[in-house]
Amino acid sequence: MRTRDSPALVGVTTSGRGLLSSSDVGSANRARLLQSLVDDGPASRAELARRIKVPRATISSIVSGLLDSGVLIEEEPQPPVDGIGKPPRPLWFAPDALQCGAISVSRGAVDVAVVNARGEILSRRRVPIAPDGRTAELDRQILAAASAALADFRGRLSGIGLTVPALCDSRTSAVVACTPVPGLVGTRLPQLLAERFGVPCVLEQDVRAFAVGEKWFGQARGVRDFAALQFGVGVGAGVMLLGHLVSGRDGHTVQLGHTCVDPAGRPCSCGLRGCWETLTSSHWLRSEAVLRGIPGGRDTTPKRLAGRAAAGDQLAASLLADFSDNIAIGIANLVQLLSLQLFIIHGDVVHAGESFRAHLQASVLQRCMPALAHGVRVEFSELDQDSGLLGAAATVLTRELGVTL
Ligand SMILES: [Zn+2]
């Protein structure tokens, strides 16, 4: 695994040979200020000066440029700390600045939206697509959906984010493999969208975009080490380590779903045996429900099981507990391996309810060394069905602002 290189820390002095010029320092400090807003959220000038350790006058000068250009605005005054002094006015992104096209492809549908840098969805549309369509047909359908949904914002978009349920090569903007929508392999959508709208298009795997979206707009704001995990047909993971999105070799995502948790386990679709995914997929849940004689087992979902369990069905409660423990095994491995502190869950699992989440968190903590378990949280994503769109927008914003993830 690797992460992108951390941004070099830049000093504010210009004395001595080989150091940055004052204009370089200005743009470097501007980048650090924007990075701080993205990493830790809205802040006053004084707070920003503390965060990035530059003089207040330097912050004011940078902020005034960003206010004049309409990138930032001053929010309403907040109560001062300790009740003394001038009420601080947090700086945050302006609603009209940095509007992004966001396209989220899933099996059978494409969602298209315009999202601003505050995570507000200004316009949205969902259009059905042929899930098993050929590449050219899918390209045509998705391009048509995007063209219709984004027409009113043409000329105002900073870029377009495209998220797909697929393994992507971030270096070449290519879809490498895609089980839910096989026709996406070989798609030219990033190129076609960039040509149609005259702005950059960023392609990203959905769960990796979820992680970026959680960092910008969700529960991971201010958190450096966390994972967005998606449970459904398989397991997807977007891992953020020291504030950077972890990539595998060749720009591919890491394959946590195919780490072995049971050497004697079931065969996996990847050709190996006992992968984490074989014990946590929707297929496992349904097949176990059938095996255990739970009514409607063939069509069961975490939500339906939770409903049955809440009504006193012991079989359903037992299956949910086993499902939760299976998910916990892989999460605990991540805690032990990377010392992550926050896991944000996406997918159907979030509809299993709070008692499932609480059981899952407890099960994770039981499986970790006490020193590492401290402070570990497992949360359901609050971005829910907007995760794909907000993640797509966040990938564009990250690129446009030059911040590092
Ligand atoms: Zn596997």
Side-chain angles (χ1 to χ4, degrees), residues 255-260 266-278:
Q255 293 293 316
L256 291 173
H258 298 287
T259 51
C260 183
R266 302 178 184 189
C268 180
S269 60
C270 71
L272 300 172
R273 182 177 287 278
C275 297
W276 188 26
E277 183 167 303
T278 62

Side-chain angles (χ1 to χ4, degrees), residues 248-302:
R249 195 177 59 201
D250 300 334
H252 295 172
T253 183
V254 289
Q255 293 293 316
L256 291 173
H258 298 287
T259 51
C260 183
V261 294
D262 182 1
R266 302 178 184 189
C268 180
S269 60
C270 71
L272 300 172
R273 182 177 287 278
C275 297
W276 188 26
E277 183 167 303
T278 62
L279 295 174
T280 55
S281 67
S282 48
H283 173 73
W284 180 88
L285 196 66
R286 287 195 296 268
S287 63
E288 280 295 309
V290 171
L291 275 175
R292 300 183 191 197
I294 295 172
R298 205 179 300 275
D299 299 314
T300 202
T301 63

Side-chain angles (χ1 to χ4, degrees), residues 30 34 62-74 91-99 116-118 158 401:
R30 181 178 182 273
L34 291 169
I62 299 168
V63 165
S64 115
L66 290 167
L67 289 172
D68 288 347
S69 60
V71 172
L72 299 182
I73 57 165
E74 286 186 300
L91 295 149
W92 194 227
F93 295 103
D96 295 337
L98 298 165
Q99 294 179 345
N116 67 17
R118 304 162 70 90
S158 296
L401 289 178

Side-chain angles (χ1 to χ4, degrees), residues 135-157:
T135 304
E137 181 188 6
L138 283 168
D139 281 1
R140 185 185 56 72
Q141 287 184 330
I142 295 169
L143 192 61
S147 298
L150 302 178
D152 291 346
F153 292 84
R154 187 183 284 268
R156 285 188 279 154
L157 297 176

